[in-house]
Amino acid sequence: MDGKISSWSSEDYDKKSIELCVQEIKKEFGQQFSNSKSILEQHTHTMTIHESELPDGVVFVETKEDVQKVVNICKKYKCPIIPFGVGSSFEGHLNAPYGGISIDMNNMNKILNVYPEDLLVVVQPGVTREQLNTHLRDTGLFFPIDPGANASIGGMTATRASGTNAVRYGTMKDNVKHLEFLMLGNHYF
């Protein structure tokens, strides 16, 4: 992709390069990587009218350093990346029309800090809505976004989730105050 067009196409990807990427990721991550058909199918199911299109592999990351390694390897081979929370969305963005690597965030499921006086919680992207509300129960606080599924906070942020409480408490854009994200230059923001 030359940076001037606004959409990707199959011409932007090289299957051989993606295969090399898969081999390097498999070598780097060992048991944290899978390309078994059942795992690939679990990471691309879609509740839309679109047919499921499988990624070439799934990496079960555990730390932000793992994410950084995967992103850097994929960048090296120009391999598509598909982030995965719990797969409960309707948007269809889990599909991998050009293949690529699905980065499963489920093992990044720690609630890092709770600041009740500031109405602030710091979580990893794999924390689910129900997990967070169970943790907050004794503080008198709750996380109000309820899209109708036990979605991950990372996935809900990525899709700007809302739900039955949106009129009173807003959507994800109203409840997320800070994000840490990785840019391709190896910088977290």
Side-chain angles (χ1 to χ4, degrees), residues 41-127:
E41 288 172 347
Q42 290 170 21
H43 285 78
T44 193
H45 71 84
T46 176
M47 294 184 224
T48 69
I49 61 169
H50 303 288
E51 292 291 321
S52 293
E53 298 170 281
L54 303 179
D56 294 288
V58 177
V59 180
F60 297 89
V61 295
E62 297 176 357
T63 65
K64 67 181 185 180
E65 291 76 23
D66 284 352
V67 174
Q68 192 169 17
K69 284 180 191 176
V70 174
V71 168
N72 285 331
I73 293 169
C74 288
K75 177 184 174 187
K76 176 179 169 183
Y77 293 100
K78 296 183 180 177
C79 179
I81 299 168
I82 305 98
F84 184 89
V86 296
S88 61
S89 69
F90 289 112
E91 290 82 5
H93 61 275
L94 299 178
N95 266 348
Y98 308 115
I101 299 296
S102 176
I103 301 177
D104 186 309
M105 302 288 187
N106 281 298
N107 293 331
M108 291 183 69
N109 62 354
K110 293 179 183 68
I111 298 169
L112 303 174
N113 289 303
V114 177
Y115 304 98
E117 63 282 353
D118 297 323
L119 305 176
L120 181 68
V121 180
V122 180
V123 300
Q124 292 182 319
V127 170

Side-chain angles (χ1 to χ4, degrees), residues 157-169:
T157 302
T159 60
R160 194 179 158 201
S162 61
T164 57
N165 295 327
V167 171
R168 184 167 188 174
Y169 298 106

